Amino acid sequence: MCGIIGYIGHRNVVNVILSGLTNLEYRGYDSAGLALRDGSDIKVYKTLGKLVNLKNELEARKSELYNVTCGIGHIRWATHGSPSLVNAHPHSCTCGKLVVVHNGIIENYKELREELIKKGCEFKSQTDTEVIAHLVANEYSKAKNLEMAIQNSVAKLQGAYAICVMHKDVPDLIIGARKHAPMLIGVGDGENFIASDTPAIIEYTKKTIYLDDNEIAIVTKDSVKIKDINGEEIDKKIEILPWEPIALSKLGYKHFMLKEIYEQPDVIRNVLNGKIYDIDEPIILNEVKLDKETIRNLKKIEIIACGTSLHVGLVAKYVLEDFTGISVEVEASSEYIYRKTTTDSSTLVIGVSQSGETADTITAIKQAKAKNAHVLIVTNRPDSNMARLADSLIPVNAGIEVSVAATKSYIAQLVSFYLLGIYMAEVKGTLDSDYLKNLKHEIIQLPTKVEEILSCTNSIQTCAKKFSSFKNFIFIARGVNLATAYEGALKLKEVSYINATGYAAGELKHGPIAMLDETMPVLSILMSGGITYEKVLSNSEEAKARNAKLIALTSSNDEKLDSLFDVVLRVPQVREILSPIIACVPCQLLAYYIAEFLGKDVDQPRNLAKSVTVE
Ligand code: G6P
């Protein structure tokens, strides 16, 4: 979703802002803009569509710029008002002296807008953000102090905001403020940065101060002061970012999505590192802060998440119930919040989120915390808002994921749940020691098995070409791989815009079978050695009888499959409960190659955002 970068310092301000916005591009956006202090002027440039348009605009108009000392930039994902130039950020007050960029949603913007119009403010856009520009300008006209004007203004805002403000009459100063939307300061030498997310600044500095809610950052090129909304200075810790700039490079791959799929064996190794070191020893999971007695007495686990992370939760239900015997409910965060849940202090609530910023999940987590549940967060962003709400935090350490479609964060979250399941089973004594040893042994082999899939993708690429002209797909599976069918279908939809649906194979005959003919391919996930294989095979036969084209994703070597299915994609054998780790990889690759073959914008699919910070 939207992204912010502000810069003040000795470098070329335009270049820093454009490169910062480029590194936030993956979040998804539909317009971009920046405001530059040039001598005593503030100049605003905005364009629709991709950042390249803003780059071209600035290139064409660079002769207008003489002495740029600081600036604020933004990419916008439309919420209030269509994606248009007038709605793009930065927004200005009536006289144009004050500029603001904003992430989040101001809930009371209509009331504020009416009040400000009565005071003579002239609104140009349909956005909620524009009220902030007029509000702060109004307060500035009274206080004659930008810091105080912002303090007074944010006190009137309801909702979520991360804002950056500059004023023509206050040279070489950028002020940032946040509530319920991320914002951080990048601390440099003779330069400073304000950003909504770390990739925007990682090229320049690793020294970071994370702003908390209701904090205001007063930033010049040589100083950073953080204050509360009453103007009291706060002593904040400088943290060192764990990311390397190289994470933002494609390293020769055509797309980040492909690079990130190929990183998965190492991502799994990373998750396992330090947790399983000997199959005869218990798993080490110091991140779980629940004491052993509480784990033994847990009545229920609730998993809340959105999108791909929700599919992780669906796999986790099978894993945790199988390993621990504790009942697990999984629900989309956006629905959980409407239920009078039976959550209490004997419930473990697990929030799963690659970004750690998904607004629906944050709301759901807060609801669970209010009911005294212990909240465990599984995320790829230990620096996120969600992580800060956690009682226990499992960082999955997949590294920055740039492609909007989640792949390596999915596999890292999955593996983390297997470790959590084993950890809890060891505390509760629910699995016998031989089973545990074999299970751990197989988990350690997983990276090599994923490497095997990645080392030969010809059949997947051929399959992708063969099926890229179809407009619809059905993915079927049973049991622990039902979520793989959902995730495979979601990946295909996200990057290729082909209509794909995941179904429980047993449900096929209760409706979806009516859709089947030669135009509707069915991809069956048939992992051998478990209890679902034969049944999914029968369901595939039913599809074949309706002339559907069939793809098998299987770990079976049974030659009979080659005559039943039009394409057979074979993967290495693992026990069924672990097979979602193996089965998800060909699904990711199939979606990738179909999208790539169709020439889609793989890393930044239309309308999607990596980090969904609005409900
Ligand atoms: C967006 C992303 C998805 C992601 C979902 C949930 O829709 O495009 O890839 O699965 O949000 O995000 P989270 O960060 O909470 O996992």
Side-chain angles (χ1 to χ4, degrees), residues 305-310 352-358 361 386 404-406 413 490-491 494 608-612:
C306 301
T308 291
S309 296
L310 180 61
V352 193
S353 173
Q354 50 83 23
S355 66
E357 300 295 349
T358 304
T361 307
M386 220 178 281
V404 167
Q413 288 167 344
L490 178 67
K491 270 307 72 98
E494 283 180 311
L608 295 183
K610 182 85 189 155
S611 186
V612 179

Side-chain angles (χ1 to χ4, degrees), residues 37 42 93-99 116 119 121 131-154 156 165-173 175:
R37 165 166 282 277
I42 286 198
C93 62
T94 312
C95 69
K97 284 185 170 184
L98 182 134
V99 282
L116 289 158
K119 287 181 180 160
C121 297
V131 298
I132 306 175
H134 293 290
L135 189 62
V136 181
N138 217 268
E139 291 294 332
Y140 182 77
S141 66
K142 292 184 253 169
K144 299 286 177 227
N145 174 312
L146 189 56
E147 216 179 294
M148 276 174 66
I150 290 177
Q151 279 170 29
N152 297 342
S153 301
V154 293
K156 293 183 183 159
V165 178
M166 295 196 306
H167 195 293
K168 185 173 185 296
D169 296 344
V170 191
D172 299 332
L173 178 75
I175 300 192

Side-chain angles (χ1 to χ4, degrees), residues 290 294-304 313 316-331 336 339 342-352 368 373-376 378 417 420-421 424-425 428:
L290 281 172
T294 313
I295 292 180
R296 285 186 201 108
N297 292 328
L298 279 177
K299 297 257 173 8
K300 188 174 56 153
I301 298 175
E302 292 174 352
I303 302 180
I304 39 188
K317 175 181 168 70
Y318 285 84
V319 173
L320 296 178
E321 288 186 343
D322 193 85
F323 291 2
T324 70
I326 304 171
S327 149
V328 181
E329 287 174 10
V330 186
E331 196 166 10
Y336 179 91
R339 247 178 356 105
T342 54
T343 319
D344 60 22
S345 56
S346 64
T347 315
L348 169 63
V349 174
I350 309 182
V352 193
H374 184 96
V375 169
L376 186 159
V378 178
F417 270 105
L420 177 66
M424 291 173 81
K428 283 179 65 105

Side-chain angles (χ1 to χ4, degrees), residues 365-599:
I365 294 295
K366 287 183 178 162
Q367 196 166 308
K369 274 182 91 89
K371 292 193 162 186
N372 298 323
H374 184 96
V375 169
L376 186 159
I377 301 293
V378 178
T379 181
N380 195 30
R381 296 302 299 265
D383 51 347
S384 62
N385 266 325
M386 220 178 281
R388 282 152 201 264
L389 291 171
D391 298 309
S392 295
L393 173 66
I394 301 188
V396 301
N397 299 328
I400 288 188
E401 190 175 61
V402 176
S403 164
V404 167
T407 53
K408 64 174 179 171
S409 63
Y410 177 75
I411 222 160
Q413 288 167 344
L414 276 186
V415 176
S416 300
F417 270 105
Y418 286 98
L419 298 184
L420 177 66
I422 297 177
Y423 174 79
M424 291 173 81
E426 284 176 333
V427 171
K428 283 179 65 105
T430 39
L431 293 178
D432 85 54
S433 64
D434 281 347
Y435 180 91
L436 274 168
K437 267 190 220 171
N438 293 333
L439 186 64
K440 287 181 199 167
H441 179 73
E442 262 197 73
I443 289 178
I444 294 170
Q445 308 301 315
L446 286 171
T448 318
K449 300 218 162 164
V450 173
E451 264 160 3
E452 241 178 86
I453 301 172
L454 295 173
S455 67
C456 182
T457 61
N458 293 350
S459 55
I460 300 172
Q461 295 192 43
T462 312
C463 177
K465 272 194 193 149
K466 188 167 174 177
F467 284 89
S468 59
S469 59
F470 285 88
K471 300 282 173 267
N472 299 289
F473 259 88
I474 291 185
F475 286 58
I476 59 168
R478 286 176 181 248
V480 70
N481 275 306
L482 175 56
T484 315
Y486 291 156
E487 177 57 13
L490 178 67
K491 270 307 72 98
L492 186 58
K493 266 192 286 228
E494 283 180 311
V495 295
S496 73
Y497 319 146
I498 290 172
N499 176 33
T501 316
Y503 272 107
E507 284 294 297
L508 198 63
K509 51 180 136 358
H510 300 294
I513 202 163
M515 307 280 297
L516 296 189
D517 61 18
E518 58 290 339
T519 66
M520 175 75 86
V522 174
L523 185 148
S524 308
I525 302 174
L526 295 135
M527 293 298 133
S528 55
I531 49 177
T532 62
Y533 178 85
E534 291 298 338
K535 292 248 169 66
V536 181
L537 195 56
S538 307
N539 299 135
S540 309
E541 304 254 15
E542 291 159 11
K544 180 82 172 179
R546 272 83 191 174
N547 293 328
K549 295 263 177 292
L550 294 190
I551 304 170
L553 170 51
T554 186
S555 53
S556 160
N557 287 323
D558 187 349
E559 285 173 8
K560 166 169 102 199
L561 298 182
D562 298 284
S563 52
L564 176 62
F565 288 86
D566 297 278
V567 174
V568 180
L569 303 174
R570 288 203 156 81
V571 292
Q573 165 81 44
V574 289
R575 73 178 64 210
E576 192 172 30
I577 195 80
L578 295 179
S579 64
I581 305 268
I582 297 296
C584 73
V585 179
C587 292
Q588 297 166 344
L589 286 165
L590 186 65
Y592 171 78
Y593 284 118
I594 289 180
E596 199 250 349
F597 188 68
L598 294 175

